[in-house]
Amino acid sequence: DTGVSQDPRHKITKRGQNVTFRCDPISEHNRLYWYRQTLGQGPEFLTYFQNEAQLEKSRLLSDRFSAERPKGSFSTLEIQRTEQGDSAMYLCASTGMGANVLTFGAGSRLTVL
Amino acid sequence: AQSVSQHNHHVILSEAASLELGCNYSYGGTVNLFWYVQYPGQHLQLLLKYFSGDPLVKGIKGFEAEFIKSKFSFNLRKPSVQWSDTAEYFCAVKGGYQKVTFGTGTKLQVIP
């Protein structure tokens, strides 16, 4: 068990570019969550998957954001036409069925110039 | 909708001082409650959790928290802090089938 892995750890991009983050959850965990954290704030929920099904999306997730978990294993979070306000730490977490304890990855820090 | 409020944004203590971090939540039904900690340069990790039963729960590194249902509170305590407890602490709540909602966090600085 190597924990939750996120890639890349840090991404610097120019405004208007697209970025994609990847999350590999703990292998036996069927629920996968994406959160966003900005300076001075706690993690804010973005979306979550149970297996390959995306069950909930936050209103924070504008139509520029899309998340997938095609085979119920790893997940990707894509941000199109990035804006400076998208600069944040994007956190991935996973948990097993019926369990409520989130195991977090190290996060992917996005800086939009 | 559920929400979490953490009263202290930044706490500075000397080593051996006692710690209490406040956390209040709002949700009308049964809840699961958590404290997560983020040490400098590390990722978020679970400190302790309450699901049911004894309202006084113990976590790692000597931390404990008490669930007081009538006050919708889940305060974190430690009798004697150490420099290594310097970190950011997040209270979180999960009600029913809701996702986990986090508070804004409390930065704890322990001075040797």
Side-chain angles (χ1 to χ4, degrees):
Chain A
D1 180 4
T2 56
V4 178
S5 299
Q6 293 190 245
D7 184 71
R9 293 290 306 277
H10 195 179
K11 178 73 175 178
I12 301 172
T13 191
K14 293 183 179 179
R15 190 176 55 186
Q17 297 295 304
N18 299 344
V19 296
T20 300
F21 301 116
R22 176 180 169 124
C23 171
D24 287 87
I26 292 172
S27 58
E28 61 267 29
H29 285 181
N30 65 337
R31 289 187 180 177
L32 185 150
Y33 297 76
W34 285 100
Y35 282 80
R36 180 171 68 186
Q37 186 176 17
T38 53
L39 203 60
Q41 299 294 320
E44 295 175 295
F45 171 79
L46 293 179
T47 187
Y48 96 92
F49 294 83
Q50 183 166 300
N51 300 314
E52 65 276 9
Q54 188 173 19
L55 297 188
E56 188 175 347
K57 289 172 59 173
S58 165
R59 287 171 294 173
L60 293 174
L61 217 63
S62 76
D63 55 7
R64 297 185 297 106
F65 288 71
S66 62
E68 293 182 340
R69 195 182 182 198
K71 296 183 179 179
S73 56
F74 73 91
S75 175
T76 57
L77 177 69
E78 181 183 17
I79 308 173
Q80 296 182 324
R81 305 181 304 281
T82 52
E83 301 172 357
Q84 288 186 325
D86 297 331
S87 294
M89 178 74 85
Y90 289 85
L91 299 169
C92 179
S94 68
T95 185
M97 191 67 165
N100 291 324
V101 177
L102 298 174
T103 300
F104 281 90
S108 293
R109 181 172 296 283
L110 173 65
T111 302
V112 182
L113 302 176
Chain B
Q2 61 192 19
S3 66
V4 179
S5 174
Q6 292 185 242
H7 314 303
N8 316 99
H9 296 294
H10 197 180
V11 173
I12 301 174
L13 294 173
S14 297
E15 274 194 317
S18 65
L19 170 72
E20 181 159 3
L21 301 182
C23 171
N24 286 90
Y25 69 92
S26 69
Y27 185 75
T30 303
V31 292
N32 296 153
L33 295 160
F34 311 85
W35 277 96
Y36 281 82
V37 61
Q38 189 165 27
Y39 297 103
Q42 297 187 26
H43 57 275
L44 275 164
Q45 57 187 284
L46 182 71
L47 192 59
L48 50 77
K49 63 184 185 293
Y50 171 80
F51 286 173
S52 63
D54 189 344
L56 184 64
V57 292
K58 296 188 184 298
I60 59 172
K61 302 186 178 184
F63 285 89
E64 65 179 30
E66 185 176 12
F67 169 50
I68 303 179
K69 189 175 181 180
S70 61
K71 295 185 178 179
F72 297 88
S73 70
F74 191 55
N75 292 353
L76 181 70
R77 300 194 292 248
K78 185 171 184 179
S80 175
V81 294
Q82 300 173 319
W83 177 77
S84 59
D85 294 324
T86 294
E88 191 159 15
Y89 294 82
F90 295 92
C91 183
V93 64
K94 183 181 187 302
Y97 294 102
Q98 306 262 344
K99 68 279 186 185
V100 178
T101 299
F102 288 82
T104 53
T106 298
K107 287 186 179 176
L108 172 65
Q109 184 179 357
V110 180
I111 301 170

